Each structure stands twice: as C-alpha cells, then as structure tokens.
Amino acid sequence: MYYESTRGEAPRVTAAAAIVQGIAPDGGLYVPAEFPAVALPEIAAFPGLSYQERAARIITPFLENFTPAEIRACIGAAYNTRKFAHPAIAPLKSLGDGSYILELWHGPTYAFKDMALQLMPHLLVLSRRKTGNAAESVILVATSGDTGKAALEGFRDVPGTRIIVFFPAEGVSEMQKRQMVTQEGNNTYVVGVAGNFDDAQSGVKEIFTDPEMRARLKAAGFEFSSANSINWGRLLPQIVYYFSAYADLLAIGGVKSGEPVNFVVPTGNFGNILAGFYARLMGLPVKRLVLAANANNVLTDFVRTGIYDRRRPFYKTISPSMDILISSNLERLLYALTGRDAAAVRNWMGELKERGVYRVPEAVAAQVREIFWSDWADDATALATIKETFRRYGYLLDPHTAVAVAVYARYRATTEDGTPSIILSTASPFKFNRDVACAVIGEEAAARHDEFALLEILARETGWPVPEGLRTLAGKPVRHRRVVQREEMKKVVAEILGI
Ligand SMILES: *Cc1c(COP(=O)(O)O)cnc(C)c1O
C-alpha cells in the first residue's frame, strides 16, 4: 500500500518512507492510498482476541513490506504489562445509561499519547532499516507537557535513537516538570528553555531546517526525526482502540454485531478523532463522532459552519492538551471528504497560513455535519462535571475527559440520540491532581496540600491506587538540569551529540 501527500505535489512513498519522513516534502501529510475494509463478521470475532491481536489485525494491511513477525515484535514491545498498568491495555468501563468510558491512560505517562508513542518508535526503527537508512535517529521534541514525557518513555533505550526534549522552563505544571527532569534511559535528554512553548517550538523548527546543522549531523552519522502527531506512525496505532472498544462493547452485550455506536472525543490537534473517522471508513459501525472542545473552540465552529477561523484569542485552560488553534490533522479529513482533491486542500491551507481563515464549500460542510457533531465546555463546566460524575457514579474524570462528558450530555439532550456512546478518556485524573482535587474536595481544602499529598487524597476518595510512576516521582533524583536561553538551543543539541 502506498502513501500520498494531501497536497498532491510529492511522489507516492511506502509506509516505511512515510514514517521516516514524517511530513511530505510539499508540506502535506501522508495518507494511505486506500483504506482496507474490515468486514462485520471479522469484527464480531474480535471479542475473542487480545488487544495485541486486534492491533496486529488492524495495522498489518497498512504496513506493506513489514513481516508478520516484525509487526508482532513491535506490538509486543509496546503493549505489555511492564508498560501498561492494565492487562486489557485500553479497558472499557460502563457509566450506566448507555454510555461507556474507554480508558486510554494506563500507559507509562498516564495520558493517551502513550497508545501511539509506545508503538511508534519501534515502527520508526524498522522503517529506517527498510528504507536503507543507517543513520541514528535524533528525535527533537518541543512540548507543552504531555507529549514530551510520552515521547521520552516511548524512545527510552530504543536502540538506534536519541531523544532531546525542550520544554518551557516556566510553562508546565510541577508534576509534568518532575516527570521530565527525572527521566531515565541512556538516550534521553531533557532541556528547559527560558521562555514559553512558542519559544521552544520555534527553536526546534529552526534547528530542524538549518542546513548547516543538517550537514554536521549527517557527517556524524545522525539524522533528525520527529515524533509529533502528524506522523502516520502516530496515527495508525490510534485506529486500533476504536475497533477494540466496539469489540468489548459486543462482549458485554452493549450492542449487537453491526449496530452503530457514537464516539465522543476530547479534541485538540484532531489526531485522536481522525483515527475514529478512519475506523468508520474501514467499516466500523459508527453513527456519530462527537467532537468535544474547550474554550479554544475553533473546531466546534468549523463543524457547525464549515468556516475554519483561527483569528481569535488563545485561552490557557485546565485541559491544556486541547489548547490549540491550528489542528493540523484536519487537513487529512478534508482530503478524504473532497474525494482526494489535493488542489482544494492546498488552497485552504494556503489561506489559513496567509489570512488565518478558510471556508469549505457546502457539499463538504454537509458531510462534516452528518458525521460529526460538536460543542465545547469551559473550565467551570468541566470542574462541575468532574464533581457531578464523581457524586453520581463514583467515577473520577480528568479535566480533558470531563470536557467530553459535558459535551456528550449536551449532545444527548439536543439530539435525543440514545445510541450507545463511548467516551474516550485521555488522561488519568491523578495526572491533573490539583484541578481534580479542587472539584472533589473544594478549592480551599486542596490549597492546603502539595502535589503528592493530593495524590493520596484522591486515592482515598476513589479507592483507586495512586499510579506508581507518579507516587515515586517525589523520591526520584533529578537527572536533567540544563536550562538554556532560546538562542542557545542549537548549541546544546550539538553539545549533546558531540558534533
Ligand atoms: C493530546 C491530548 C488530547 C488531544 O488529542 P488530539 O489528538 O490532539 O486531538 C486530549 N487529551 C489529552 C489528555 C491529550 O494528551
């Protein structure tokens, strides 16, 4: 199976090349030339398979030239009980009244990014070998929090790779910072940047595209690579859990084979929900994809109007991983809905870059409205939802998932659609313990405790164990102390690599 660029001005490539390159040379995103169908009787047999077997079945047709043994080895290295705290990897929990929670946060960093970033490094190493590229991969990441830690855990001690993560020294939560500066592994480097996320991100982009830097790297046997969510290697693993959740729902009698479900997805860069759209294309019975946004509601407006307009204020919210105004992966949806009209996609992306806004024709907007439904929830609503869901069901939500639960309640009330619905839970509530504790025990009570005491309090309230990797953070030695100015980022990369 070949991959083509959404902008239509780059040659088709193999899966391995798409994963190695990350982004196409014409600035577009790689998409498979076709989507393999999974027939209903086969989906009906999924409940008898493990998560690992389901994963192998879904991803194999997308990875031509990868042998079954190679794919099994990658999956085995990614999804196992040393890495994931739950044997089902992505378990489904019933909330009652026909709604379900799909927990995607049992991986090493307690957020859904692990579902992709545990597998992707293994796919990248194999892809490099298959494309005849012997260089060692240097993964450069700028992070606002979750991605950096998930990428560090995914790449740690993976042979043939080194990972360098830049984070804004004053721009991440205390828990997130501790998670990163205590990172273990013999190929991991974490550097604070004096500045905000944009400083870190623009610094990384400059290093990536600096010809002199690239030449020096090449001479030393290295090559830059990226682990961000436009890489096909990060999207592909996410299709799996949509099928897996449907299988688990079949197993508990929540649906009969072939009956449709809705998925509700807390959305930022449009990667997670796009995987759901692809699952639907492949034959999974999905009625609606409910797109839940926070105050940065650019996608809600797009779903309702067909106008994407990023010219609006940026809000810092308690669901920071959804604080995003340019949702890169939407480009892939537009490509699919226009019947692969690369010229149209190129135009819209050009308008977005130059004017900050574009509008799709009514025929496309109507398709978007048929498949998607969207609303957004502010911080106060998310906190109230955490409190109310805990009171009613004894189930604790993190702020991102709370946005989804709040939006789903509005979907239900507005449309009166009683189709069984699966809400994707993207982070452990323990990871966002301060805001979650405020919702559960009150702001004043929460203010009296430090981060680690709050973990114990939440554990007492829920009867859930404190995630091991968060509890032990208090005693872990700091291994990464570098903090640099924005202008020194290039120098520090050269120093780390010894070039
Ligand atoms: C990244 C992230 C999201 C948003 O996912 P996208 O694929 O960017 O839409 C939502 N919740 C959490 C906790 C995340 O880390």
Side-chain angles (χ1 to χ4, degrees):
M1 179 189 299
Y2 281 94
Y3 287 74
E4 56 198 32
S5 165
T6 49
R7 306 218 180 153
E9 293 181 324
R12 326 186 290 174
V13 296
T14 61
I19 291 170
V20 169
Q21 289 177 33
I23 188 161
D26 61 356
L29 308 185
Y30 283 118
V31 289
E34 75 241 53
F35 281 85
V38 185
L40 272 181
E42 211 185 331
I43 299 173
F46 266 34
L49 305 182
S50 66
Y51 189 85
Q52 294 79 353
E53 290 165 327
R54 295 170 188 174
R57 170 59 190 91
I58 296 301
I59 72 176
T60 298
F62 288 101
L63 298 174
E64 231 167 55
N65 304 329
F66 287 63
T67 69
E70 286 171 337
I71 291 173
R72 263 200 312 277
C74 287
I75 288 172
Y79 305 123
N80 59 62
T81 48
R82 273 174 294 114
K83 305 277 191 174
F84 282 77
H86 199 291
I89 307 298
L92 189 72
K93 306 273 168 80
S94 173
L95 266 194
D97 63 25
S99 62
Y100 303 84
I101 301 269
L102 176 61
E103 294 179 348
L104 300 173
W105 43 259
H106 291 281
T109 76
Y110 314 111
F112 102 100
K113 304 276 188 300
D114 290 329
M115 297 302 299
L117 277 165
Q118 281 298 311
L119 184 59
M120 190 255 186
H122 302 289
L123 296 178
L124 178 65
V125 169
L126 262 179
S127 297
R128 272 208 181 282
R129 216 180 296 149
K130 286 178 191 298
T131 53
N133 192 326
E136 185 171 341
S137 295
V138 178
I139 318 295
L140 283 189
V141 181
T143 184
S144 58
D146 286 345
T147 302
K149 179 63 185 177
L152 284 162
E153 278 299 324
F155 281 96
R156 84 185 257 188
D157 297 329
V158 173
T161 70
R162 294 197 200 187
I163 173 160
I164 307 175
V165 169
F166 290 97
F167 72 92
E170 306 306 328
V172 300
S173 79
E174 187 53 34
M175 230 35 174
Q176 288 175 319
K177 184 170 175 174
R178 269 179 197 258
Q179 274 191 313
M180 287 190 279
V181 297
T182 59
Q183 177 67 44
E184 289 158 5
N186 60 26
N187 62 342
T188 58
Y189 305 87
V190 177
V191 183
V193 179
N196 59 26
F197 172 63
D198 284 334
D199 294 320
Q201 167 134 295
S202 59
V204 161
K205 275 193 185 147
E206 255 169 51
I207 299 171
F208 250 113
T209 49
D210 183 331
E212 190 233 325
M213 204 56 190
R214 284 189 171 262
R216 273 163 72 188
L217 221 64
K218 197 165 176 201
F222 293 112
E223 194 165 75
F224 282 136
S225 205
S226 147
N228 68 22
S229 76
I230 54 180
N231 191 309
W232 177 251
R234 270 192 63 179
L235 214 42
L236 178 57
Q238 297 177 355
I239 299 174
V240 175
Y241 50 72
Y242 285 89
F243 282 92
S244 180
Y246 188 84
D248 287 343
L249 198 53
L250 278 175
I252 59 174
V255 281
K256 291 198 196 61
S257 180
E259 283 177 0
V261 296
N262 299 317
F263 286 96
V264 186
V265 188
T267 296
N269 208 20
F270 205 79
N272 200 358
I273 198 166
L274 179 70
F277 171 79
Y278 286 155
R280 187 177 184 272
L281 269 188
M282 293 165 71
L284 190 69
V286 178
K287 182 174 178 188
R288 269 287 180 48
L289 292 163
V290 178
L291 188 159
N294 66 19
N296 297 295
N297 54 7
V298 61
L299 285 168
T300 298
D301 289 347
F302 174 73
V303 168
R304 291 177 179 174
T305 64
I307 300 170
Y308 193 98
D309 190 349
R310 59 162 292 203
R311 301 167 305 174
R312 61 181 71 210
F314 174 86
Y315 298 106
K316 239 173 114 59
T317 74
I318 59 169
S319 44
S321 299
M322 298 157 68
D323 291 346
I324 217 162
L325 290 180
I326 302 182
S327 299
S328 317
N329 271 305
L330 189 62
E331 178 167 350
R332 286 184 162 115
L333 177 77
L334 297 175
Y335 188 70
L337 293 184
T338 54
R340 300 176 175 259
D341 187 346
V345 170
R346 222 161 44 230
N347 255 333
W348 295 326
M349 294 307 126
E351 283 173 32
L352 181 63
K353 192 165 173 202
E354 265 144 46
R355 301 197 302 123
V357 57
Y358 63 87
R359 172 184 212 137
V360 300
E362 178 49 28
V364 176
Q367 286 184 77
V368 171
R369 282 196 306 271
E370 191 193 317
I371 303 168
F372 296 87
W373 189 94
S374 183
D375 203 346
W376 64 281
D378 61 16
D379 283 353
T381 305
L383 287 171
T385 303
I386 293 172
K387 186 172 179 178
E388 177 61 12
T389 306
F390 188 58
R391 193 187 63 77
R392 271 178 66 182
Y393 304 107
Y395 189 91
L396 197 58
L397 304 166
D398 91 284
H400 303 78
T401 311
V403 166
V405 170
V407 166
Y408 174 62
R410 284 203 216 122
Y411 173 75
R412 227 17 224 261
T414 309
T415 61
E416 297 182 356
D417 176 12
T419 303
S421 295
I422 297 170
I423 298 158
L424 274 56
S425 175
T426 50
S428 159
F430 288 95
K431 189 163 188 180
F432 297 90
N433 52 359
R434 186 154 297 279
D435 290 316
V436 171
C438 284
V440 175
I441 63 171
E443 210 167 316
E444 260 177 48
R448 287 198 288 274
H449 302 282
D450 74 6
E451 306 287 326
F452 295 99
L454 289 177
L455 291 177
E456 302 301 331
I457 289 170
L458 290 182
R460 256 201 323 275
E461 290 283 332
T462 53
W464 298 357
V466 176
E468 204 44 36
L470 296 180
R471 183 208 294 277
T472 53
L473 271 184
K476 274 203 174 153
V478 173
R479 300 184 71 243
H480 306 273
R481 296 182 186 279
R482 281 193 184 94
V483 178
V484 301
Q485 298 298 318
R486 158 86 172 72
E487 307 74 49
E488 299 169 316
M489 289 171 63
K490 205 188 314 183
K491 204 176 94 211
V492 83
V493 168
E495 209 176 277
I496 286 169
L497 299 175
I499 60 171

